[in-house]
Amino acid sequence: EVQLVESGGGLVQPGGSLRLSCAASGLTFSSYWMSWVRQAPGKGLEWVAIINQDATGEFYVDSVKGRFTISRDNAKNSVYLQMTSLRAEDTAVYYCATYSTRSGWLDPWGQGTLVTVSS
Amino acid sequence: DIQMTQSPSSVSASVGDRVTITCRASQGISGSLTWYQQKPGKAPKLLIYAASSLQSGVPSRFSGSGSGTDFTLSISSLQPEDFATYYCQQANSFPLTFGGGTKVEIK
């Protein structure tokens, strides 16, 4: 069974930094694109970032470009999201998910980790 | 960026009802459209991919159709476990974008 487990969320002050991790198991991790999606409290889903299998390609939503960096370590079956210059509007549950380039779906998803940006 | 517009934003329905949700893309995306179901406090669950292909394990009362800019998710006979929020997502180009969601509530 494929399992994705996020960690690293918490309370951070505006302007601060946080690094999220997502540990994968039950799949050949190095074969998959990996993505982060967030959901602000009571709001809809917002795609954040994606990285290809060998970390040679990354894409971001405009609102996080220059502040967030996605990376991966295939030896550790993990993907990361380094978040800097955090703003109140970055407050959300952050999910990692595998991405199928063939079908365009995000599946499966982790359980999510909550990031709260507040003073 | 491709904008995805879902309607309605919410719908009240009874068990056994047929429910239809629409998703419109701001530009043509061929068949690159995915539907998810999300229940409170849970991660989204993949229902339909490539506009009309049912994910393994998803009940056959769910169906999807459409191509280009207009897409539909239908639930043929609503069951108690189907009360949730549904999202569409385009995969034609980055950034990936989601519709605003449709909450299916109990009437």
Side-chain angles (χ1 to χ4, degrees), chain B residues 48-67:
Chain B
I48 287 170
Y49 62 95
S52 60
S53 296
L54 197 66
Q55 172 67 346
S56 176
V58 174
S60 59
R61 62 181 179 273
F62 290 92
S63 64
S65 64
S67 183

Side-chain angles (χ1 to χ4, degrees), chain B residues 15-101:
Chain B
V15 172
D17 284 354
R18 180 179 183 86
V19 172
T20 299
I21 298 168
T22 63
C23 182
R24 175 165 288 176
S26 60
Q27 59 187 265
I29 60 170
S30 187
S32 301
L33 195 283
T34 305
W35 290 98
Y36 302 90
Q37 175 194 68
Q38 187 181 34
K39 296 182 178 179
K42 300 295 186 181
K45 171 189 173 184
L46 172 65
L47 294 178
I48 287 170
Y49 62 95
S52 60
S53 296
L54 197 66
Q55 172 67 346
S56 176
V58 174
S60 59
R61 62 181 179 273
F62 290 92
S63 64
S65 64
S67 183
T69 60
D70 294 315
F71 301 87
T72 298
L73 172 70
S74 296
I75 311 172
S76 60
S77 178
L78 203 62
Q79 297 302 300
E81 59 268 30
D82 301 336
F83 291 95
T85 301
Y86 294 84
Y87 293 93
C88 62
Q89 171 241 315
Q90 67 80 19
N92 185 74
S93 62
F94 296 122
L96 303 180
T97 45
F98 291 89

Side-chain angles (χ1 to χ4, degrees), chain A residues 46-85:
Chain A
E46 180 183 36
W47 176 79
V48 174
I50 198 166
I51 188 167
N52 67 357
Q53 297 98 320
D54 61 3
T56 56
E58 306 159 25
F59 297 90
Y60 300 89
V61 67
D62 281 350
S63 60
V64 309
K65 280 181 184 175
R67 299 189 301 123
F68 290 11
T69 303
I70 189 171
S71 63
R72 65 189 296 158
D73 185 336
N74 288 342
K76 294 184 177 179
N77 287 354
S78 294
V79 62
Y80 308 99
L81 188 67
Q82 178 69 48
M83 305 184 293
T84 63
S85 303

